[in-house]
Amino acid sequence: MTAMAKKKDATVAAAESTGPDDGDTVASGLESSSGNPSCDAATRYMPTGETPCMSAVRRLIEQVAGVDTNVLITGESGTGKEWAARSIHHLSPRCEQPFVPVNCGAIPAELMESELFGHEKGSFTGAIASRAGRFEMAEGGTLFLDEIGDMSLPMQVKLLRVLQERQYERVGSNRSRPCDVRIVAATHRNLEAMIADGRFRADLFYRLNVFPIEMPALRDRIDDLGLLAANIMQRCERSGLDPVELTPGALRVLRDSPWPGNIRELANLLERLCVLYPGGTVDIGQLPGRFTRNVQIRDSDRHTLEEARSTGPMPQDFGLPGPNMTLKDYLASIERSLILRALNESNGVIAGAARILNVRRTTLVEKMKKYRIG
């Protein structure tokens, strides 16, 4: 297999996963809803929230779902743009046909045409067989163009032509193929600013932006956090994790956080807490330090936090090692912290700490000597 072919195979996997841009995405790749009742899928993918801005988003989704109008979904990364796109599809007359997502930012520019329109055998080095493109795979259904703002200008011209003429050619072929595909696009970029800078075509923008939907950032709908957390916990449970319970104090702290990663950041945090404290109760002290350092905390909550962290950093505080620390030293610091926590929870009883850590008492004693824990 040539280098070109290997690169292309690797790209296919990237194209089939748009999860990186939608914080509450539960599925990726080519999907056909024909095996599931459309109403169940529409309910599953309908964005969660009871705040006025989310009620408005749901109304827009319901209004546009029944027609074939092109939709452009905007919003910051992690706000749930793919879920909105899937909800539109499953509420539409095309719900029994495929929903095909493509992450335009994950595919090299030189391979984008083949990914979207397919290619014929021998059309380029490594094309050892004919291959259907995403437009062909989505025939009769919905094609979701995620991160459309990352598409190159030459490819924008080709996409515009297909949207105008409703037909395309595979790479290496001169035979036009008609396409019956609904287009839903999404981006976290400001396309109008990109048009002013000459980085995005105005005619393509107007073609896509027939029905705009803007997904609000989590900080702008913070009253939905409790409901979002409950739904994410249900998904964690369905995936085999033992969900945790957040105390009112923990929820207060989370509501005061800025959430630059939006729903994806919240989902990642809750999944991590389910792994660290399966089936347990998570209070302020169990939250990562970055959530408690820069928010207003009640005096009673501050006492709880200081007590929980009296033995050093918590496991959820550990990120990637800094540039001046080796992985070996970093893992050693984590191990030392866990030993201190276990000793604290066992009131200094080594045998009890060994049971918590699931190690032999003699092993724990050796590690305590190694880390000079008296």
Side-chain angles (χ1 to χ4, degrees):
M1 183 180 292
T2 67
M4 177 79 172
K6 290 180 179 178
K7 185 176 184 181
K8 182 169 183 59
D9 288 343
T11 303
V12 172
E16 292 181 338
S17 176
T18 56
D21 189 41
D22 274 42
D24 41 7
T25 297
V26 296
S28 61
L30 177 63
E31 174 188 291
S32 174
S33 59
S34 58
N36 301 306
S38 59
C39 58
D40 291 345
T43 301
R44 180 179 3 137
Y45 291 118
M46 181 65 79
T48 300
E50 297 178 348
T51 51
C53 59
M54 286 309 298
S55 296
V57 166
R58 283 200 299 275
R59 282 196 300 272
L60 291 174
I61 289 174
E62 291 166 354
Q63 285 175 334
V64 78
V67 293
D68 269 350
T69 300
N70 290 341
V71 180
L72 179 62
I73 305 173
T74 58
E76 298 177 8
S77 293
T79 50
K81 295 188 290 296
E82 184 175 337
W83 267 37
R86 289 179 181 273
S87 186
I88 290 170
H89 171 74
H90 288 294
L91 286 171
S92 77
R94 297 175 177 267
C95 62
E96 298 299 327
Q97 302 303 319
F99 174 92
V100 180
V102 182
N103 190 332
C104 300
I107 304 173
E110 65 271 18
L111 297 179
M112 178 62 79
E113 183 177 5
S114 174
E115 280 297 320
L116 289 182
F117 309 136
H119 63 258
E120 297 293 350
K121 179 179 179 180
S123 56
F124 55 82
T125 304
I128 58 176
S130 297
R131 181 179 180 275
R134 301 291 159 164
F135 269 89
E136 193 170 341
M137 293 177 183
E139 181 66 21
T142 301
L143 181 64
F144 177 52
L145 299 174
D146 198 8
E147 293 302 346
I148 190 69
D150 292 341
M151 184 176 285
S152 68
L153 283 169
M155 194 61 224
Q156 291 177 34
V157 176
K158 296 175 181 178
L159 176 61
L160 177 63
R161 176 177 171 271
V162 174
L163 297 184
Q164 290 173 336
E165 300 180 6
R166 309 306 295 181
Q167 59 184 10
Y168 63 93
E169 295 92 35
R170 285 183 175 183
V171 176
S173 172
N174 57 8
R175 182 170 71 89
S176 294
R177 296 169 179 261
C179 67
D180 174 22
V181 172
R182 184 188 190 160
I183 299 296
V184 179
T187 182
H188 72 282
R189 301 187 185 278
N190 185 335
L191 294 186
E192 292 178 280
M194 293 179 66
I195 291 171
D197 294 339
R199 294 181 292 133
F200 200 85
R201 293 185 60 93
D203 45 8
L204 178 58
F205 173 74
Y206 297 132
R207 180 68 65 169
L208 295 172
N209 196 41
V210 178
F211 196 92
I213 297 177
E214 182 175 2
M215 301 298 293
L218 180 53
R219 61 183 173 275
D220 296 329
R221 47 177 294 212
I222 202 64
D223 289 341
D224 285 331
L225 189 139
L227 185 57
L228 285 167
N231 285 358
I232 292 169
M233 289 297 183
Q234 291 176 2
R235 295 210 309 273
C236 288
E237 186 172 16
R238 286 197 297 269
S239 66
L241 295 175
D242 201 353
V244 299
E245 179 181 354
L246 298 173
T247 67
L251 282 171
R252 280 198 303 272
V253 170
L254 295 180
R255 287 194 182 98
D256 288 337
S257 299
W259 297 106
N262 294 294
I263 303 172
R264 181 184 304 115
E265 184 181 4
L266 175 63
N268 290 345
L269 169 67
L270 296 179
E271 183 176 348
R272 187 190 329 165
L273 293 175
C274 289
V275 173
L276 289 170
Y277 309 105
T281 299
V282 172
D283 201 359
I284 296 175
Q286 283 74 50
L287 295 177
R290 63 190 178 87
F291 288 98
T292 57
R293 278 193 292 268
N294 302 315
V295 297
Q296 295 290 332
I297 299 180
R298 299 179 181 181
D299 289 340
S300 58
D301 291 339
R302 191 174 302 281
H303 175 73
T304 300
L305 180 63
E306 291 173 351
E307 184 177 284
R309 297 182 180 276
S310 60
T311 57
M314 305 286 279
Q316 63 270 21
D317 291 329
F318 295 110
L320 292 173
N324 299 320
M325 178 178 284
T326 66
L327 178 61
K328 181 179 179 181
D329 292 340
Y330 186 60
L331 293 175
S333 68
I334 294 176
E335 186 174 48
R336 186 178 192 278
S337 175
L338 293 174
I339 291 173
L340 287 171
R341 277 200 62 207
L343 287 169
N344 181 65
E345 292 185 15
S346 65
N347 297 317
V349 178
I350 296 178
R355 281 194 296 272
I356 293 173
L357 296 171
N358 197 25
V359 297
R360 297 176 62 180
R361 184 182 183 282
T362 53
T363 300
L364 180 57
V365 170
E366 292 173 1
K367 291 184 178 295
M368 290 173 62
K369 290 179 181 178
K370 174 184 176 181
Y371 296 126
R372 298 180 181 178
I373 299 175

Coordinates of all heavy atoms in Angstrom, one line a residue, residues 20 34 39 67 72-73 75 87 97 109 112 182 195 210 221 223 285 290 295 297 306 320 325 343 352 362-363:
P20 N -15.2 15.3 18.5 CA -14.5 16.4 19.1 C -15.1 17.7 19.2 O -14.7 18.6 20.0 CB -13.2 16.4 18.2 CG -13.1 15.1 17.7 CD -14.5 14.6 17.5
S34 N -32.7 3.4 10.7 CA -33.8 2.5 10.4 C -34.1 1.4 11.4 O -35.1 0.9 11.5 CB -33.5 1.9 9.0 OG -32.3 1.2 9.1
C39 N -38.8 8.6 16.8 CA -39.2 9.4 17.9 C -38.2 9.2 19.1 O -37.9 10.1 19.8 CB -40.6 9.1 18.4 SG -41.0 7.4 18.8
V67 N -38.6 20.5 6.9 CA -38.4 21.0 5.5 C -36.9 20.7 5.2 O -36.1 20.5 6.1 CB -38.7 22.5 5.4 CG1 -40.2 22.7 5.6 CG2 -37.9 23.3 6.4
L72 N -27.3 26.1 9.2 CA -26.0 26.4 9.7 C -26.0 26.6 11.2 O -26.7 27.5 11.8 CB -25.4 27.6 9.1 CG -24.0 28.0 9.6 CD1 -23.0 27.0 9.2 CD2 -23.6 29.4 9.0
I73 N -25.4 25.6 12.0 CA -25.4 25.7 13.4 C -24.1 26.3 13.9 O -23.0 25.8 13.5 CB -25.6 24.3 14.0 CG1 -26.8 23.6 13.4 CG2 -25.6 24.3 15.5 CD1 -27.0 22.2 13.8
G75 N -21.7 28.2 17.2 CA -21.5 28.1 18.7 C -20.1 27.7 19.0 O -19.4 27.1 18.2
S87 N -30.7 15.8 16.0 CA -32.1 16.0 16.3 C -32.9 16.4 15.1 O -34.0 16.0 14.9 CB -32.2 17.0 17.5 OG -33.5 17.1 17.9
Q97 N -33.4 7.4 6.8 CA -32.2 7.3 5.9 C -30.9 7.7 6.7 O -31.0 8.2 7.8 CB -32.4 8.2 4.7 CG -33.6 7.9 3.9 CD -33.6 6.5 3.4 OE1 -32.5 6.0 3.0 NE2 -34.7 5.8 3.4
A109 N -6.6 18.8 3.1 CA -7.3 19.5 2.0 C -7.2 18.7 0.7 O -8.2 18.6 0.0 CB -6.7 20.9 1.8
M112 N -10.0 15.9 0.7 CA -11.3 16.3 1.0 C -12.3 16.0 -0.2 O -13.4 15.5 0.0 CB -11.5 17.8 1.4 CG -12.9 18.2 1.6 SD -13.6 17.4 3.0 CE -12.9 18.3 4.4
R182 N -29.8 16.3 2.3 CA -30.0 17.5 3.1 C -28.6 17.9 3.7 O -27.9 17.1 4.3 CB -31.0 17.3 4.2 CG -31.3 18.7 4.9 CD -32.2 18.5 6.1 NE -32.5 19.8 6.6 CZ -33.6 20.1 7.3 NH1 -34.3 19.1 7.7 NH2 -33.9 21.3 7.7
I195 N -15.1 35.8 6.0 CA -15.4 36.4 4.6 C -14.7 37.7 4.4 O -14.1 38.0 3.4 CB -17.0 36.5 4.5 CG1 -17.7 35.2 4.5 CG2 -17.3 37.3 3.2 CD1 -19.2 35.2 4.5
V210 N -29.1 29.5 5.4 CA -30.5 29.7 5.1 C -31.3 29.8 6.4 O -32.1 30.7 6.6 CB -31.1 28.7 4.2 CG1 -32.6 28.9 3.9 CG2 -30.3 28.6 2.9
R221 N -26.2 29.6 30.0 CA -27.4 28.8 30.4 C -27.1 28.0 31.6 O -27.4 26.8 31.7 CB -27.8 27.9 29.2 CG -26.6 27.2 28.6 CD -27.0 26.2 27.5 NE -27.8 25.1 28.0 CZ -27.8 23.9 27.4 NH1 -26.9 23.6 26.4 NH2 -28.5 22.9 27.9
D223 N -28.1 27.8 34.5 CA -29.2 27.2 35.3 C -29.6 25.8 34.8 O -30.3 25.1 35.5 CB -30.5 28.1 35.2 CG -30.3 29.4 36.0 OD1 -29.4 29.4 36.9 OD2 -31.0 30.4 35.8
G285 N -14.7 19.2 48.1 CA -13.3 18.7 48.3 C -12.9 17.7 47.2 O -11.7 17.5 47.0
R290 N -8.9 23.3 39.9 CA -9.1 24.5 39.0 C -10.5 25.0 39.1 O -10.8 26.1 38.7 CB -8.8 24.1 37.6 CG -9.6 23.0 37.0 CD -9.0 22.5 35.7 NE -9.8 21.4 35.1 CZ -10.8 21.5 34.3 NH1 -11.3 22.7 34.0 NH2 -11.5 20.5 33.8
V295 N -13.2 30.8 42.4 CA -14.7 31.0 42.6 C -14.9 31.4 44.0 O -14.2 31.1 44.9 CB -15.5 29.8 42.2 CG1 -15.4 29.4 40.7 CG2 -15.2 28.6 43.1
I297 N -16.4 31.0 47.5 CA -16.8 29.9 48.2 C -17.3 30.3 49.6 O -16.7 31.1 50.3 CB -15.7 28.9 48.4 CG1 -15.2 28.4 47.0 CG2 -16.1 27.7 49.2 CD1 -14.0 27.4 47.0
E306 N -10.7 22.8 52.7 CA -9.4 22.7 53.4 C -9.2 21.4 54.1 O -8.1 20.9 54.1 CB -9.3 23.9 54.3 CG -9.2 25.3 53.7 CD -9.3 26.4 54.7 OE1 -9.6 26.1 55.9 OE2 -9.1 27.6 54.3
L320 N -1.4 16.7 33.0 CA -0.2 16.3 32.4 C 1.0 16.9 33.1 O 1.0 18.0 33.7 CB -0.1 16.7 30.9 CG -1.2 16.1 30.0 CD1 -1.1 16.7 28.6 CD2 -0.9 14.6 29.9
M325 N 9.4 18.2 34.5 CA 9.2 17.0 35.3 C 9.2 15.7 34.4 O 8.4 15.7 33.4 CB 8.0 17.1 36.1 CG 7.7 15.8 37.0 SD 6.3 16.0 38.1 CE 6.9 17.1 39.4
L343 N -3.8 7.0 54.1 CA -3.5 7.0 55.5 C -4.4 8.0 56.3 O -4.8 7.7 57.4 CB -2.0 7.5 55.7 CG -1.0 6.4 55.3 CD1 0.4 7.1 55.2 CD2 -1.0 5.3 56.3
G352 N -5.1 -0.5 57.4 CA -6.3 0.1 56.7 C -6.0 0.8 55.4 O -6.8 0.7 54.4
T362 N 3.1 -4.9 53.7 CA 4.6 -4.8 53.6 C 5.0 -3.9 52.4 O 5.9 -3.1 52.5 CB 5.2 -6.2 53.4 OG1 4.6 -6.9 52.3 CG2 5.1 -7.0 54.7
T363 N 4.2 -4.0 51.3 CA 4.5 -3.2 50.1 C 4.3 -1.7 50.5 O 5.1 -0.8 50.1 CB 3.6 -3.6 49.0 OG1 3.8 -4.9 48.7 CG2 3.8 -2.7 47.8

